[in-house]
């Protein structure tokens, strides 16, 4: 089986060396938890042009539309059917059993890595369950709807919109620089800087996706198929 073969190969490649690992995750890892991806059929932007809901100018022009878009997503994330899947759990296992640091950098704004028990998770595109003050920049946890009347009326979703800088750049650079293995799971590789992280790690890299992507050629190896199915097998092989 592909995932076992690639896991065994990475094990051999690393030998007795157990380097820090960096894992980049995208919408595909949460697809099997019931959250839509961005660019697939029926993806999140279907029915909404991205610039109508995810940019500072959209928020200036029509804040109610932007608030409602994220309120719907927040309610969906908190619905009873959405829970971490076997891929999130496999990464938590890798974090707890690998002897060196394992950093998860996620483009996802959901909290499924944390619900699976992971720590050391960097949310480079923000978090759906947080809001940010428009003036002070204060960030607080928020599980309810948010709109122009929330608290003092000066709060926005804590989400990185198009044209805005990603979060935690220093922590991301430091993790990439010290890593000796890079795993990339469920991302289309179309949004930078995340799509370029594979070039910043000195060591082998593996892409997990149901199909080839814009950046597949940059990886040492690939496992084609569902992350929830294949990642647990790969992690088993790597931990042997
Ligand atoms: P996309 O929706 O662009 O890509 C999801 C990827 O996951 C695709 O390549 C799918 O083939 C793959 N996929 C789907 N189901 C899968 C499964 N079960 N197992 C493995 N792979 C699967 O989402 P991202 O690449 O994460 O930014 O999008 C990156 C950023 O674009 C998002 O964070 C968002 C968006 O604009 C912001 O909101 C700032």
């Amino acid at each position: 089986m592909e995932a076992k073969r690639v896991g065994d190969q990475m094990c051999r490649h690393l030998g007795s060396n157990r380097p820090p690992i960096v894992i980049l995750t995208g919408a595909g890892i949460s697809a099997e938890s019931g959250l839509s991806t961005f660019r697939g059929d029926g993806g999140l932007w279907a029915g909404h042009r991205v610039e109508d809901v995810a940019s500072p100018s959209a928020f200036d022009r029509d804040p109610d539309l932007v608030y409602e878009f994220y309120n719907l997503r927040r309610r969906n994330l908190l619905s009873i059917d959405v829970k971490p899947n076997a891929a999130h759990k496999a990464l938590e296992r890798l974090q707890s059993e690998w002897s060196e640091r394992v950093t998860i950098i996620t483009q996802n704004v959901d909290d499924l890595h944390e619900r699976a028990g992971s720590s050391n998770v960097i949310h480079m595109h923000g978090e759906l369950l947080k809001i940010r003050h428009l003036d002070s920049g204060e960030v607080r946890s928020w599980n309810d709807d948010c709109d122009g009347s929330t608290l003092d009326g000066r709060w926005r979703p804590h989400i990185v919109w198009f044209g805005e800088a990603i979060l935690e750049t220093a922590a991301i650079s430091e993790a990439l620089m010290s890593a000796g293995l890079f795993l990339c799971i469920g991302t289309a590789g179309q949004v930078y800087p995340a799509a370029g992280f594979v070039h910043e790690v000195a060591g082998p890299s593996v892409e997990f996706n149901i199909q080839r992507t814009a950046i597949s050629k940059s990886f040492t190896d690939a496992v084609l198929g569902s992350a929830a199915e294949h990642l647990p097998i790969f992690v088993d092989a790597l931990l042997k």
Side-chain angles (χ1 to χ4, degrees):
M1 184 152 195
E2 196 63 0
K4 178 163 175 1
R5 181 191 66 75
V6 177
D8 288 343
Q9 193 169 306
M10 284 301 134
C11 236
R12 275 197 302 278
H13 191 110
L14 297 173
S16 56
N17 186 19
R18 287 281 175 271
I21 300 176
V22 167
I23 301 162
L24 174 68
T25 63
I29 196 171
S30 296
E32 287 163 274
S33 293
L35 298 177
S36 316
T37 61
F38 287 90
R39 294 177 179 81
D41 288 342
L44 263 180
W45 305 127
H48 285 292
R49 288 193 317 144
V50 76
E51 36 313 349
D52 289 340
V53 286
S55 69
S57 58
F59 189 62
D60 289 342
R61 196 171 53 242
D62 190 351
D64 289 343
L65 175 72
V66 177
Y67 281 128
E68 188 52 18
F69 178 71
Y70 288 104
N71 287 341
L72 287 173
R73 295 184 64 196
R74 194 179 300 105
R75 280 182 227 151
N76 187 34
L77 175 58
L78 293 174
S79 74
I80 194 141
D81 309 327
V82 172
K83 19 179 154 35
N85 65 53
H88 297 101
K89 290 179 193 160
L91 295 189
E92 188 282 325
R93 178 163 172 241
L94 184 59
Q95 279 191 318
S96 34
E97 295 184 24
W98 191 252
S99 53
E100 268 296 333
R101 185 167 58 137
V102 178
T103 306
I104 297 174
I105 304 174
T106 187
Q107 298 169 92
N108 298 341
V109 295
D110 65 53
D111 64 341
L112 296 181
H113 286 303
E114 286 86 351
R115 281 198 234 168
S118 276
S119 52
N120 198 16
V121 181
I122 298 175
H123 282 272
M124 62 181 289
H125 288 167
E127 290 171 80
L128 204 45
L129 301 184
K130 290 187 177 166
I131 55 174
R132 183 161 82 235
H133 197 265
L134 287 165
D135 308 318
S136 69
E138 179 194 338
V139 174
R140 55 165 84 174
S141 296
W142 198 257
N143 285 6
D144 298 321
D145 283 359
C146 170
D147 58 29
S149 65
T150 296
L151 302 171
D152 67 353
R154 301 288 301 156
W155 294 82
R156 58 166 275 183
H158 183 48
I159 301 284
V160 173
W161 287 330
F162 284 91
E164 295 184 320
I166 64 161
L167 305 174
E168 304 208 51
T169 45
I172 290 172
S173 298
E174 194 274 316
L176 291 170
M177 256 165 41
S178 56
L181 174 63
F182 180 69
L183 310 179
C184 180
I185 302 155
T187 175
Q190 291 188 21
V191 176
Y192 284 80
F197 288 171
V198 58
H199 299 294
E200 294 179 44
V201 173
S205 53
V206 185
E207 179 179 58
F208 296 79
N209 203 298
I210 50 172
Q211 60 194 350
R212 287 184 65 78
T213 69
I215 54 171
S216 292
K217 284 201 187 100
S218 307
F219 290 84
T220 316
D221 223 325
V223 175
L224 271 184
S226 131
E229 187 183 336
H230 293 278
L231 209 52
I233 298 167
F234 174 86
V235 167
D236 272 350
L238 199 62
L239 287 172
K240 284 240 168 75

